[in-house]
Amino acid sequence: MSSNTASSSAATAGSGDASAVRKNSKRPKYSKFTQQELPACKPILTPGWVISTFLIVSVIFIPLGVISLFASQDVVEIVDRYDNDCIPAPARTNKVAFIQGSADKACIRNLTVTKRMKKPVYVYYQLENFYQNHRRYVKSRSDAQLRSPKYENQISACKPEDDVGGQPIVPCGLIAWSLFNDTYTLSRNNASLAVNQKGIAWKSDKEHKFGKKVFPKNFQKGNLTGGASLEPDVPLSDQEHLIVWMRTAALPTFRKLYGKIETDLEVNDTITVMLQNNYNTYSFSGKKKLVLSTTSWLGGKNDFLGIAYLTVGGICFFLAIAFTIMYLVKPRRLGDPSYLSWNRNPGGR
Amino acid sequence: MVGPGGLNVDSSANHLRAPSRTVTLGRIQPQAPSFRTVYCNDRDANFPVRFKGNSISTTKYNVFTFLPKGLFEQFRRIANIYFLGISCLSMTPISPVNPITNVAPLSMVLLVSLIKEAFEDWKRFQNDMSINNSTVEVLQDQQWVPIPWRKLQVGDIIKIKKDGFFPADLLFLSSTNPDGICYVETANLDGETNLKIRKALERTWDYLPSERASEFKGEIQCEQPNNSLYTFTGNLVVEKQTLPLSPDQLLLRGCSLRNTEYIVGAVIFTGHETKVMMNAMNAPSKRSTLEKKLDKLIITIFCALVIMCLIGSIGCAIMTDRDHYYLGLQKNDWEYRNGMTIAFFTFFTLITLFSTIIPISLYVSIEMIKFIQSTQFINRDLHMYHVETNTPASARTSNLNEELGQVEYIFSDKTGTLTRNLMEFFKCSIGGISYGCGITEIERGIAQRDGLKIHEEQRSTGAIREKGFNFDDPRLMRGGWRNEPNPDLCKEFFRCLAICHTVLPEGDESPEKIVYQAASPDEAALVTAAKNFGFFFYRRTPTMVYVRESHTEQMGKIQDVSYEILNVLEFNSTRKRQSVVCRFANGRLVLYCKGADTVIFERLAYGMDNVRKVTGEHLEHFGSSGLRTLCLACKDLNPEAYESWNEKFIQAKSALRDREKKLDEVAELIEKDLILIGSTAIEDKLQEGVPTCIETLSRAGIKIWVLTGDKMETAINIAYACNLINNEMKQFIISSETDAIREAEERGDQVEIARVIKEEVNKELKKSLEEAQQYMHTVAGPKLALVIDGKCLMYALDPTLRVTLLSLSLNCTSVVCCRVSPLQKAQVTSLVRKGAKKITLSIGDGANDVSMIQAAHVGVGISGMEGMQAVMASDFAIAQFRFLTDLLLVHGRWSYLRICKVVMYFFYKNLTFTLTQFWFTFRTIFSGQRFYDDWFQSLYNVFFTALPVIVLGLFEKDVSASLSKRYPGLYREGIRNSFFKWRVVAVWASSAVYQSLVCYLFVTSSAFDGKNSSGKIFGLWDVSTMVFTCLIISVNLRILLMSNSITRWHYITVGGSILAWLVFAFAYCGIPHDRNANVYFVIYVLMSTFYFYFTLLLVPVVALLADFIYQGVERWFFPFDYQIVQEIHRHEADSSNADHLEIENELTLEEARSYAISQLPREISKHTGFAFDSPGYESFFASQLGIYAPQKAWDVARRASMRSRPKAPKKN
């Protein structure tokens, strides 16, 4: 209220030379901004615009869909689920006991190449119902420790796999502890087929996240064994399976790169996989699959993008036609004043 | 003899007050329980009482309280509390996100708000300091010693020099001016720049020099501090003599001394106990309806959040399985002990994770938008700049911009708002002869309708036309009156005009240069008229009035005459008249009186019937021409009778209790047996463009009610002229001037009167309502109008009748309430605001509108005129009524539209973002794993999506300003609240669900296998960054899709936001550090694949496609009004259109006006508009009802009644 300023000396000065102020015009200065007259584009979604937008989208999307679908079709993929078959028939009643026991877990799988696979052919393992994205799991790692031996005691996030008898585990945490340990040895037509297990991790991970001077310590020494062991003499930056494993997957069904075959595979080649079925997914009925796949420029065999593009393009085309028909059937003159609400019910008070 | 009429008026006024007291509006002035005693010039004696010091503090905080109190203020906002809670949660181990995610945005919001608070308070503090440290001269040991204001104490004797400010409320003791008077400017109190006179008690006049003043040992007994600026009662005890004190001896803090060398005064009230500080009421802070609805939306969102968390926690409890050994779930884990604990902790984890669903930056953004809207757009709009008064519009609060877009009821004051308050002396009637040949516009309208041609009278050459005077009649001008049948009566008429008033002349004492300072423009007009008739009032002293009379003795002769003013009998709304007792130089004692016809006619001497009848006819004629009338009367007094009366008068004047009432009673004794001289007629001009504006507003679906203190006939006339009422309307008139009520009033029994009026009002209301409902059922019934007067309104506002009144008035297109008090104005406003839950706007210019302005959702003050009270209380100030068109139809509508869009957009973008998180938890056993990196999440709101929405809030406009005014119907969308309905919220919510699903599902399902030709696989953070990128693009592009007007700022901010995300991602992902190890290099990895670009094209397009289809279908089949208007004018350029429209508006103005005039009622109404119905006079009323509204007029008047002391002391 007035009284806040009433006794202020500022107000005094103001009223004192009020006449002088009055001479100064208080007329606001013109600017496009203050008068809200900035030049603007005023798009109106007229039927023409709507239909042509649909057409444009469909014209762009359908070819793109076709291209991606072609790319995906080029990819040859062999998937083999082995988690069930690699348990000897008698042990299948209690798979968990088998996998935790000390019996020989070797297993042989034969795969037939249905279509020529150009090199490089990638070998993946696929796990299902495995929650690498669980909150407890994701945070159970120490990036500092992985990077440099200086920080090997930074294990607070790694519980419960943080230390053994007071000694820090390197690499600590659930992720590393549960490292996948099935191994695959491939042969083609009884000739051994080399699987290159180097260069399977992203370069940035290898160079910056996993230290060259960090060596595994106290790993898998606890009461329970989670998965693979690490060679204590190889620095983490060279343990590429670990690096791949530790780039946690987004969803409970995921693939991890195991290695690559650097020769072409011909049609009807028989690939024999000697695998060590060590990893326990049986506790939680997770599936394990072995995947051999080529890639295209767009990546692996995934029709989703192509189908999505085609569908959307198709829908847009359909909508363009539908809208055209609708406008023909139920036309509305653009800017018809009779549509104004006050013209529709003039009596409305 | 006391006229029965006088009693009636009085009693009814008492009536008016009694029930009103129960309504609490504004601050009721505290009833002083006891008196305070101040010993002047004696600090020791005053010490035991411990009066408050004189230092003031208007700051909200001090150094120690700033942080706690400031934070407390901030946390009164529910959203901030929520985020505080979330931040605390995020510190605990159950949180899936780093505390930074929630703490950073909250601290930013708090910091900005606190800095703003601190800055404002610092300015207040500096202001206080400079006031507290300014110096004043205090009497100490017979010396004037300068001390700072803050050290001043009650009882001190101080000296104020010319142009100095009074540091406290002072008792005025002596002045360098003769007669112990001083001049005071009260501009800081009420905005009036005219000078007021204060007068010291004669007993204290000589305590002027320091030696003399130090001898002064008075004892002041006065009321306790209160906030009534215009009342003061107390006694001064000097040397065992008790002298009554009045407001005339009180100098208020905040006023300044003018035209006086210096004065000496004693301090009575200090610091916060001064009247001006006691009045420092904080204007009620208003929140817009939309903001209140926003709270509901926030609560709904919160409920949605709780539901989401419940789903998650139950899901987690069910699905968590110890068989997933790799999760390390152990028996002794407190978190995972059993289903209950899992659900419990997961609930809080998820609340922390989903906290982004409530947009934290929403309030800050909206405040910022509104601030710019009000300071840059409203304050600087050239369409609302008034050249004549050099006044731009001013938004005094930025809280209510969007409220302007939803107003359904406007309550308007009449005088000064609809009319110019520019009074011009137009006609008069003297001794039964009507003078003046002007024709009012209303008359012209009547004639036009009757088919009569009006010959524009040729003005006699040299006719005088100045402010306040628009009269021409050769019979009176330039001494012509001497040849009239009744020259003596004419002389009395002019003298009455020149003497009986409370006007102060200012400036040079020549007819051309003099400026009359008057409380009401009516008075100034009358004095100006006297001047032009040759009775030039040029000087006033407290006891004398000097008039330069010409043509009295013989043609052309000029003579200065002085009249001694013995008493002034003040005007108030019960008396409706004002009298002056004056003594001519030759000793003749005359009482001049002017007032409302009814009051004067009752007090006429016998044998005046003839003149009375003729004058009455003239008055009716004047009234029907829309003129305001006053009757003039005089009476010669017998010296003995006068002396005996004067004693009673002085007694009444010094009464401590009921002084006003006693004065009224005494006045009755002398104001009788009057001789009627004649009457005056003053034209009250309509403001420019009022009829057009009202017409436009009513086409916009806004209903306009006129609340005025005027008489019913005047009000109806103005309503006709303003297009509010026309003859096609069915009018319901509820008046207290019916025979039944009059009869009851004549019997004089208060209870009986009340009962009769209530019954009558009840009957009328019921009858009218029934009729109205009948009309409502018929299809093409006439529009309805209600006219009700103040007395009836008082009963109609009674709780029992209120509902009937409300339902009747809501059915009416226009309502006119006349003869209403300021309090009733506020009550009517509250009735509609609270009873009908409609959005109301009050507009007024005077102090009597303050309560109404504060009671409405939006208060608008008319600025640029004198008097700041209305503006000070208002939320928006405009110079002219017609600017309401721009304020409401352009600014209000746009603000509403913009704020709605901003709110919806905020809601949508946060919901979309949070939902992607939500979908993700479904695939993580509801473990509450976060999908995005901490920093992405924190910066989403404050950085990547912040600016475009502000640009939207500033520049969005559906149709141009000129089209908004041309199609007022567009405004109805705001009244219907079309853009903030739950339906709209639902549409946006489904859009958010759809888009989040598209962003989440499309990316996750396509990112499954190897994504580049080297077969490497994406991890969690790659996928989430991909989703985040798609989200940023979709959400930002959505802005463009929802904008009706896309400026380059839209492009810059939308592009900028997307770019900002990329730049941030490049920088953030490029630094190898443990903090961001998760997302290290992720964006580069993504961008090295074709997959990235293919997805980036697909996802946003699909996400926006649904909205696009929705908008296309909506526009085609269910178009909004604005969309049709857009289409009609799609080919027109904006600016050229505006010019074209300006001209068109001008044309329609004339048309509308002539139309309005032609609609005037056919029958001549029995209307004699009474001229003193100006706001200044009513405010008197208000102060008694406890509403803060100073009475302007009577300060001016009081200074003239200083001859109250008995003659005896003078002889001593």
Side-chain angles (χ1 to χ4, degrees), chain B residues 111-324:
Chain B
L111 196 71
V112 169
S113 312
L114 281 181
I115 288 175
K116 189 186 123 227
E117 284 285 304
F119 179 72
E120 283 175 358
D121 217 43
W122 173 248
K123 282 174 89 176
R124 264 181 241 131
F125 174 72
Q126 283 185 321
N127 205 354
D128 288 347
M129 284 308 286
S130 71
I131 291 166
N132 285 337
N133 286 331
S134 43
T135 54
V136 60
E137 287 181 86
V138 176
L139 187 68
Q140 278 175 1
D141 306 328
Q142 304 199 359
Q143 294 290 319
W144 296 117
V145 183
I147 63 163
W149 280 23
R150 67 189 139 90
K151 292 198 175 152
L152 206 60
Q153 284 179 19
V154 171
D156 286 352
I157 306 284
I158 58 172
K159 174 175 144 184
I160 311 290
K161 289 187 184 145
K162 189 175 176 179
D163 294 337
F165 277 80
F166 303 127
D169 288 354
L170 308 175
L171 176 71
F172 181 25
L173 294 176
S174 55
S175 151
T176 51
N177 282 354
D179 300 345
I181 60 161
C182 72
Y183 297 88
V184 172
E185 193 190 273
T186 58
N188 281 338
L189 256 57
D190 52 20
E192 287 177 35
T193 48
N194 51 356
L195 301 184
K196 315 278 160 63
I197 298 179
R198 292 288 181 273
K199 177 160 175 154
L201 294 176
E202 193 170 324
R203 183 70 184 69
T204 63
W205 280 4
D206 47 350
Y207 293 106
L208 194 61
S210 56
E211 312 85 54
R212 188 79 180 83
S214 63
E215 290 164 20
F216 182 72
K217 295 280 179 212
E219 187 185 321
I220 304 164
Q221 291 160 347
C222 64
E223 59 192 20
Q224 288 290 350
N226 61 50
N227 69 341
S228 165
L229 285 177
Y230 298 88
T231 63
F232 177 71
T233 44
N235 284 317
L236 176 67
V237 184
V238 194
E239 288 152 20
K240 293 182 183 158
Q241 241 184 322
T242 304
L243 307 166
L245 298 174
S246 74
D248 284 325
Q249 285 87 43
L250 193 66
L251 304 174
L252 296 179
R253 179 178 178 140
C255 302
S256 57
L257 188 67
R258 295 272 186 266
N259 298 344
T260 311
E261 195 188 324
Y262 71 87
I263 60 118
V264 172
V267 177
I268 305 178
F269 303 129
T270 46
H272 288 282
E273 290 182 340
T274 55
K275 288 186 181 265
V276 61
M277 294 305 287
M278 299 280 283
N279 261 297
M281 64 173 172
N282 297 323
S285 77
K286 296 178 181 172
R287 288 184 74 211
S288 72
T289 322
L290 199 138
E291 223 167 281
K292 283 179 201 149
K293 229 186 146 190
L294 180 59
D295 286 348
K296 280 188 203 159
L297 178 65
I298 297 275
I299 291 169
T300 315
I301 299 175
F302 186 76
C303 294
L305 170 68
V306 170
I307 291 169
M308 280 160 65
C309 294
L310 278 177
I311 293 174
S313 55
I314 293 168
C316 186
I318 293 169
M319 286 179 60
T320 300
D321 186 353
R322 249 171 263 283
D323 290 339
H324 290 280

Side-chain angles (χ1 to χ4, degrees), chain B residues 828-840:
Chain B
V828 172
T829 313
S830 306
L831 177 74
V832 176
R833 178 187 176 148
K834 300 201 176 107
K837 299 245 184 307
K838 304 284 189 187
I839 294 178
T840 55

Side-chain angles (χ1 to χ4, degrees), chain B residues 615-819:
Chain B
T615 311
E617 278 166 19
H618 289 160
L619 286 170
E620 271 176 30
H621 183 72
F622 293 155
S624 66
S625 316
L627 299 172
R628 300 155 67 91
T629 58
L630 272 182
C631 278
L632 309 187
C634 68
K635 173 192 182 183
D636 277 289
L637 296 173
N638 166 328
E640 283 85 56
Y642 168 72
E643 280 303 331
S644 73
W645 174 83
N646 195 28
E647 261 166 43
K648 288 182 197 146
F649 179 74
I650 289 161
Q651 246 171 21
K653 244 187 121 55
S654 52
L656 281 180
R657 291 192 179 280
D658 295 332
R659 186 179 287 171
E660 305 279 354
K661 200 177 152 213
K662 283 179 184 156
L663 280 175
D664 287 1
E665 280 164 14
V666 174
E668 289 287 346
L669 298 177
I670 198 163
E671 288 168 332
K672 59 184 183 184
D673 301 332
L674 305 173
I675 311 288
L676 182 65
I677 312 174
S679 71
T680 60
I682 293 171
E683 188 182 15
D684 184 4
K685 289 204 147 183
L686 277 188
Q687 295 272 12
E688 196 185 327
V690 165
T692 330
C693 175
I694 287 182
E695 151 71 90
T696 313
L697 291 179
S698 65
R699 267 168 61 205
I702 301 172
K703 286 155 192 130
I704 298 165
W705 293 24
V706 175
L707 310 179
T708 171
D710 274 330
K711 246 187 144 174
M712 185 170 274
E713 288 77 10
T714 322
I716 293 178
N717 261 337
I718 293 291
Y720 266 97
C722 296
N723 239 350
L724 276 172
I725 301 182
N726 55 48
N727 280 342
E728 283 161 29
M729 285 180 169
K730 168 71 196 161
Q731 298 174 19
F732 301 111
I733 297 179
I734 300 178
S735 161
S736 59
E737 305 279 311
T738 64
D739 294 337
I741 295 175
R742 214 170 281 147
E743 244 171 62
E745 280 180 345
E746 239 138 75
R747 284 197 295 276
D749 180 8
Q750 298 291 327
V751 184
E752 178 68 7
I753 294 172
R755 195 189 58 77
V756 170
I757 299 181
K758 191 167 178 182
E759 225 162 71
E760 283 290 309
V761 171
N762 191 6
K763 209 171 69 193
E764 280 291 318
L765 279 176
K766 289 260 161 62
K767 201 181 82 191
S768 307
L769 182 62
E770 268 169 36
E771 209 173 323
Q773 274 162 349
Q774 272 174 12
Y775 284 121
M776 290 308 286
H777 289 307
T778 59
V779 182
K783 290 193 171 182
L784 310 173
L786 173 69
V787 182
I788 186 166
D789 78 353
K791 211 186 278 179
C792 295
L793 192 62
M794 184 175 77
Y795 293 96
L797 284 170
D798 191 85
T800 48
L801 298 184
R802 200 178 278 169
V803 184
T804 327
L805 174 70
L806 189 65
S807 46
L808 172 63
S809 49
L810 291 187
N811 283 333
C812 293
T813 339
S814 13
V815 176
V816 177
C817 302
C818 31
R819 282 275 181 249

Side-chain angles (χ1 to χ4, degrees), chain A residues 269-289:
Chain A
D269 274 359
T270 303
I271 311 287
T272 309
V273 184
M274 290 280 296
L275 62 82
Q276 285 291 320
N277 182 21
N278 296 326
Y279 201 69
N280 176 13
T281 58
Y282 303 99
S283 299
F284 49 89
S285 13
K287 292 175 192 163
K288 291 196 275 193
K289 286 175 184 168

Side-chain angles (χ1 to χ4, degrees), chain A residues 3-23:
Chain A
S3 46
N4 273 351
T5 53
S7 41
S8 78
S9 49
T12 334
S15 60
D17 47 23
S19 55
V21 173
R22 227 158 262 162
K23 274 175 207 157

Side-chain angles (χ1 to χ4, degrees), chain B residues 913 932 936 940 944 1024-1032 1061:
Chain B
F913 180 73
Y932 306 109
F936 295 178
Y940 176 78
F944 305 135
S1024 70
T1025 309
M1026 184 74 232
V1027 175
F1028 195 76
T1029 312
C1030 292
L1031 208 60
I1032 293 276
W1061 152 242

